[in-house]
């Protein structure tokens, strides 16, 4: 019979196995009681047998400290556990009808494992926790003795089967064999535990009685199954191996010639601990091992909680929720698959500060995004924390990058983790990173040619830091992560899991440089290098010299009659494109873009390496929604949406935006979901309020919900919406006062028609050739934007400078200081492209593709300016710095940024306030801002003048204090005049309302501009 994945069944008793190799610490002290889950409405008695793995702990004694769900905790240290089988101890406890228990473990002498402060939440059934991994399994195979768990002997008929299962591909730490002898009954779910045999293999011998074989499936004890795609595995008596769904009968023992692994990994080196508030980020260099390092064991001492052991698979660990102003010392040991463990590293110590309102690791922060200035980095060009994942690609030499020893993929997540204190020291509390999904274009370091949207690009991850590690480490420092996402297109090679075309590839002498030789079983990962050429495998897994079954491309493999610039013969179906017939119309659009401001810009390819998704197709929608749900689950704080204008607004409003909000709410709750920040790139590269008169292609248009119902068919609805809104025209679009004060008063904004997408302020961006132009043009568009206080404001980016310039901003230091002073005080969220704090690459071409070295462009590697150490105890506050980064931090614009950041953080009106220029004269960049929150009692009112003088009339009477100079003015007649402070300087007079709303007075010390 065919057997589908079975559900886990409830049982009266519970066998719980917990591996001591997976010790994780609790944020609770040993004497505290955790908050238990609600008790089950069970009436009968229940028990739990808890097994704990000992090989990588080597404690002299083991104690289970627990509380049945809804019940009281045992007295510290708990109940003694006894030997079960090799490397395991156990304890059976009475749960008194409860449906599970909260558990922690300790050695009776102050060393604890309590799951990183969460405790272990254990239900009923057989449960194992090994190296921090909980599974429903019995590692002793039912044996309760103190020796090894033996394999059963053959029955009286002599029939038995020994099954070896390869764990290399699945990566499971626990494996169960769920089986049925031919003609017999299935074992109870999840089956019997398999034993470690040798690296990459587990085994189990089972008694079959009179049966001549068995049906088998495998699982990890936590609901993940390998059942041969629903067919089960048919295995005979004797020895069989199962590897990557291939069964080998009458096989040789795959471990027979394997020498047992007794070599421990090398000791971790360069262990560094950095404290921020009550969190500590620990980093170290990866260990090496003869068979491979599988994880690390971190031991922490210090504070009232004693010694705690934690497990991690990475070389970055974010330790949160620690005690205030307490010194903690850490050592690190490396583990391998055989359970060998290295000696402890040299210790690293850090001292915590005061407790912040910090987010939990892995959980989005969820605060108002307007509080957080954004630092935008191209991850691959920022800082290289691990050179082993650097890749130059096939264009490495041709681009000139090789001559500079500057591979396109150079920076990585580990480097970003190592420089979080630099970002924090500048004053930024959010980082916008380029797309993280696995890309495929061979010059894809920027990340916009997605191929496997469900996988993080391994050229960004390393043993030093996964994407999850980056998110956790950033959150531990109070920094948000905004992920750049692409819904509009994939790479020209399609999207794995949706559709991937087969291309024609002829590996003759002329094309062998481009078409990698096909490797059996290989699939592109961006990281694997051809050892013969030293180049990354790129497209060998896609091409075929034989016409594939179901081919829809015309003239497959025939010469086109044209030649490449090098003189090579060009063949049909060699490069995917929209008119080749290689893509199904259901999933991809079939045309080239003709009019950038027309409807076809939303339904055609933008370039030959950007395959345009048919986003009105339900399968495509589900593919993308599922992909980005993964990153929401990881705790990212928002999405920057690439090419948002190239998808119809009605599709965003119907499908993608509600899906984002639904998933964030499901994961983190409605309150935090309100702080998930989505901001779209609606490319309107003109100085008009409405982009060439087209509302459908104007940035502010995307901040609104639909005003009428359209066809249920998404394709028809997109066309109907385009026609309807274009006919209404610019004069009949909705308007908003959400960004504007009512006189001097703040009013509750009306977001009832907000779409869920905020925008990059393209109008200000295009006009930042002069800050005055940016100010006047920006506010001109605010009445047609749902709420412009959420606009993302920047001067230049990885695409363009002001006025669609192809070079990084060249206005000079004084102009930069003026731009920054405006951005940090005017409405919107200030955003800086990496390196602009030192005018990095000013005047250099931003992007020239592989036709010139990256070192000569605006996407150059920034790491040389970041070498050395830096620690930041607070935003805009650097405690210490050495090396090149100290020189970087001493630059005038850095000092300017830091003080602007302190001023903005101290004055709520500058973060979230509405604004007005009513009653403001002088002709310069002057405005008043106010933010009022009745729920918290916050009331903040500020008068701002940037560069130029101004006179404010009709303002409330009272005492005003300037945050820049400390000057105090008393207003009795509703008038306050400000003399011109000078270019790049400003004045911020805050109304002193007493109590929590007292004016702060002078903030920071005088610098090169603010004085």
């Amino acid at each position: 019979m065919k057997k589908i994945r079975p559900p886990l069944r409830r049982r009266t008793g519970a066998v719980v196995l917990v591996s001591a190799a997976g010790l994780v610490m609790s944020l609770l002290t040993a004497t505290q009681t955790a908050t238990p889950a609600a008790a089950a409405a069970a009436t009968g008695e229940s028990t739990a047998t808890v097994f704990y793995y000992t090989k990588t702990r080597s404690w002299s004694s083991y104690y289970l400290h627990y509380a049945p769900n809804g019940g009281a905790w045992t007295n510290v240290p708990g109940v003694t556990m006894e030997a079960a089988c090799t490397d395991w101890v156990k304890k059976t406890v009475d749960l008194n009808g409860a449906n599970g228990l909260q558990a922690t473990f300790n050695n009776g002498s102050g060393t604890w494992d309590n799951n990183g402060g969460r405790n272990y939440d254990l239900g009923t059934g057989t449960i194992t926790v090994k190296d921090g991994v909980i599974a429903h399994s019995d590692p002793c195979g039912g044996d309760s003795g103190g020796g090894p768990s033996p394999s059963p002997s053959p029955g009286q008929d002599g029939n038995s089967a020994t099954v070896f299962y390869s764990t290399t591909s699945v990566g499971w730490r626990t494996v169960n064999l769920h089986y049925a002898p031919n003609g017999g009954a299935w074992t109870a779910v999840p089956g019997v535990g398999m034993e470690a045999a040798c690296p990459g293999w587990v085994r189990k011998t089972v008694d079959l009685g009179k049966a001549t074989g068995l049906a088998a499936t495998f699982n990890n004890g936590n609901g993940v199954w390998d059942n041969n795609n629903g067919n089960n595995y048919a295995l005979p008596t004797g020895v069989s191996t199962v590897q990557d769904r291939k069964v080998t009968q009458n096989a040789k023992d795959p471990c027979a010639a394997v020498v047992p692994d007794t070599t421990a990994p090398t000791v971790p080196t360069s262990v560094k601990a950095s404290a921020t508030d009550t969190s500590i980020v620990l980093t170290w260099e990866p260990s090496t091992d003869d068979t491979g390092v599988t994880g690390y064991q971190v031991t922490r001492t210090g504070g009232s909680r004693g010694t705690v052991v934690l497990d991690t698979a990475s070389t970055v660990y974010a330790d949160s929720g620690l005690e205030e102003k307490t010194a903690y010392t850490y050592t690190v040991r490396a583990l391998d698959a055989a359970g060998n463990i290295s000696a402890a590293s040299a210790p690293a110590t850090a001292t915590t500060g005061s407790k912040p309102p910090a987010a939990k690791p892995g959980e989005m922060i969820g605060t108002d995004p307007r509080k957080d200035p954004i630092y935008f980095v191209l991850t691959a060009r920022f800082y290289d924390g691990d050179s082993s994942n650097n890749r130059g690609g096939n264009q490495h030499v041709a681009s000139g990058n090789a001559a500079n020893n500057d591979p396109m993929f150079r920076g990585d997540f580990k480097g970003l983790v190592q420089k979080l204190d630099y970002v924090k020291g500048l004053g930024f509390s959010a980082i916008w990173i380029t797309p993280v999904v696995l890309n495929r274009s061979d010059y894809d370091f920027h990340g916009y040619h997605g191929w496997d949207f469900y996988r993080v690009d391994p050229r960004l991850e390393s043993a030093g830091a996964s994407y999850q590690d980056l998110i956790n480490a950033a959150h531990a420092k109070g920094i948000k992560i905004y992920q750049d996402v692409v819904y509009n297109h994939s790479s020209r090679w399609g999207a794995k899991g949706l559709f991937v075309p087969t291309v024609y590839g002829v590996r003759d002498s002329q094309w062998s440089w481009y078409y990698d030789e096909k490797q059996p079983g290989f699939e592109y990962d961006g990281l694997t290098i051809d050892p013969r050429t030293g180049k990354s495998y790129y497209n060998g897994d896609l091409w075929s010299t034989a016409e594939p079954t179901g081919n829809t491309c015309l003239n497959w493999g025939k010469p086109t009659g044209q030649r490449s610039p090098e003189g090579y013969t060009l063949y049909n179906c060699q490069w995917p494109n929209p008119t080749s017939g290689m893509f199904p119309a259901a999933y991809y659009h079939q045309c080239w873009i003709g009019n950038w401001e027309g409807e076809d810009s939303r339904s055609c390819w933008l370039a030959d390496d950007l395959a345009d998704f048919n986003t009105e197709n339900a399968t495509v929608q589900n593919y993308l929604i599922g992909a980005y749900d993964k990153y929401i689950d990881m705790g990212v704080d928002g999405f920057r949406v690439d090419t948002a204008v190239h998808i119809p607004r009605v599709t965003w409003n119907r499908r993608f935006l509600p899906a984002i909000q639904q998933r964030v709410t499901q994961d983190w709750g409605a309150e935090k979901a309100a702080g998930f920040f989505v901001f779209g790139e609606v490319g309107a590269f003109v100085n008009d309020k409405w982009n060439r008169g087209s509302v459908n292609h104007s940035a502010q248009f995307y901040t609104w919900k639909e005003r009428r119902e359209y066809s249920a068919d998404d394709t028809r609805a997109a066309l109907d919406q385009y026609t309807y809104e274009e006919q209404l025209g610019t004069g009949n679009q909705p308007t908003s006062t959400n960004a504007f004060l009512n006189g001097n008063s703040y009013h509750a904004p009306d977001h009832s028609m907000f779409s869920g997408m905020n925008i990059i302020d393209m109008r200000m961006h295009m006009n930042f050739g002069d800050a005055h132009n940016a100010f006047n043009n920006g506010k001109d568009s605010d009445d047609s934007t749902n709420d412009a206080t959420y606009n993302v404001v920047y001067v230049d980016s990885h695409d363009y400078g002001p006025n669609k310039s192809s070079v990084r901003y060249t206005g000079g230091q004084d102009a930069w200081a003026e731009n920054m002073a405006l951005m940090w005080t005017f409405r919107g969220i200030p955003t800086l492209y990496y390196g602009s704090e030192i005018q990095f690459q000013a005047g250099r071409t931003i992007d020239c593709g592989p036709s010139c070295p990256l070192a000569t462009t605006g996407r150059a590697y920034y790491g040389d300016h970041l070498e050395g150490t830096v620690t930041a105890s607070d935003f805009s506050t650097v405690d210490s710095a050495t090396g090149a980064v100290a020189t970087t931090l001493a630059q005038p614009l850095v000092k300017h940024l830091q003080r602007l950041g302190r001023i903005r953080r101290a004055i709520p009106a500058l973060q979230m306030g509405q604004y007005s220029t009513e009653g403001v004269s002088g002709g310069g960049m002057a405005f008043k801002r106010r933010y009022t929150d009745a729920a918290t009692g916050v009331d903040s009112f500020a008068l701002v003048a940037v560069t130029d003088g101004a006179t404010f009339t009709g303002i409330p009477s009272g005492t005003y204090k300037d945050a820049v100079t400390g000057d105090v003015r008393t207003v009795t007649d509703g008038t306050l005049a400000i003399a011109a402070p000078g270019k790049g300087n400003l004045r911020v007079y805050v109304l002193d309302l007493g109590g929590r709303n007292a004016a702060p007075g002078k903030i920071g010390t005088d610098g090169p501009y603010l004085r």
Side-chain angles (χ1 to χ4, degrees), residues 551-773:
N551 168 51
T552 56
C553 183
L554 298 176
N555 299 311
W556 179 271
K558 296 179 180 179
T560 65
Q562 300 175 322
R563 291 182 177 272
S564 73
E566 300 86 357
Y568 301 155
T569 300
L570 298 178
Y571 299 89
N572 284 299
C573 313
Q574 195 168 21
W575 285 278
N577 67 68
T579 59
S580 65
M582 298 174 72
F583 289 88
Y587 297 158
Y588 283 91
H589 290 136
Q590 307 285 296
C591 54
W592 292 107
I593 190 171
N595 178 6
W596 286 90
E597 279 73 44
E599 198 283 331
D600 67 345
S601 69
R602 308 187 308 175
S603 57
C604 297
W605 288 37
L606 307 180
D608 66 350
D609 57 351
L610 303 177
D612 199 85
F613 284 130
N614 178 5
T615 50
E616 287 63 67
N617 176 273
T619 301
V620 174
Q621 292 167 357
N622 291 334
Y623 175 83
L624 293 168
I625 289 169
Y628 291 125
D629 279 351
K630 167 182 176 176
Y631 305 105
I632 292 172
D633 296 346
M634 294 173 72
V636 297
D637 301 281
F639 288 158
R640 181 269 187 182
V641 181
D642 181 72
T643 51
V645 69
H646 300 294
I647 295 176
R649 187 183 74 178
V650 69
T651 304
W652 283 115
N653 287 345
R654 277 184 172 185
R655 310 301 178 197
F656 298 132
L657 293 172
I660 291 171
Q661 192 65 19
Q662 180 182 18
R663 188 66 169 213
V664 178
T665 302
Q666 172 186 311
D667 282 352
W668 313 119
E671 183 177 354
K672 288 199 172 187
F676 190 87
F677 189 45
V678 178
F679 58 105
E681 177 207 25
V682 182
F685 302 106
V686 294
N687 294 326
D688 309 336
K689 180 173 183 175
W690 296 99
N691 186 8
R692 305 184 194 276
S694 171
V695 295
N696 279 280
H697 292 83
S698 299
Q700 61 269 37
F701 180 77
Y702 278 74
T703 66
W704 296 94
K705 290 181 179 178
E706 304 308 326
R707 294 182 283 174
R708 54 159 287 189
E709 292 292 326
Y710 296 101
S711 167
D713 177 77
D714 282 0
T715 300
R716 181 72 258 165
L719 293 170
D720 290 347
Q721 181 218 47
Y722 182 88
T723 302
Y724 175 74
E725 295 291 356
E726 289 296 290
Q727 288 177 346
L728 283 177
T730 60
N732 293 297
Q733 295 301 309
T735 59
S736 169
T737 62
N738 285 337
F740 306 120
L741 292 173
N742 184 3
N744 294 313
S745 299
Y746 180 87
H747 64 91
D750 178 5
H751 293 148
S752 61
M753 288 300 293
F754 175 51
S755 67
M757 182 183 291
N758 298 287
I759 54 172
I760 294 170
D761 198 319
M762 301 304 291
R763 188 99 182 268
M764 289 191 73
H765 167 47
M766 285 292 97
N767 284 278
F768 257 120
D770 177 80
H772 294 78
N773 286 341

Side-chain angles (χ1 to χ4, degrees), residues 53 157 244 304 422 748 764 877 915 924 966 1000:
Y53 188 69
D157 295 288
D244 297 330
S304 63
Y422 173 77
M764 289 191 73
T877 302
Y915 77 97

Side-chain angles (χ1 to χ4, degrees), residues 456-540:
V456 175
D457 199 308
R459 291 167 291 188
L460 298 176
E461 294 192 306
S462 67
S466 67
Y467 186 32
Q468 186 69 70
D469 292 323
L470 169 63
I471 295 168
N472 291 356
H475 286 180
K477 292 183 178 292
I479 298 173
K480 295 178 178 179
I481 295 294
Y482 295 152
Q483 178 179 328
D484 209 321
V485 295
V486 184
Y487 286 77
N488 177 65
H489 57 261
S490 70
S491 75
R492 67 150 61 95
W493 309 110
K496 181 186 174 186
L498 181 69
F499 178 79
V500 176
T502 301
V503 301
Y504 179 78
V506 52
R507 290 197 83 256
D508 56 22
S509 59
Q510 61 177 353
W511 286 112
S512 60
W513 64 275
Y514 187 78
Y515 285 98
D516 307 308
E517 186 173 352
K518 200 174 188 71
Q519 302 295 311
F522 173 75
E523 186 176 77
Y524 173 81
D525 62 7
L527 198 63
T528 304
I529 289 178
D530 185 338
R532 298 163 300 180
T533 65
K535 296 179 180 179
S536 299
Y537 285 119
Y538 177 42
N539 53 21

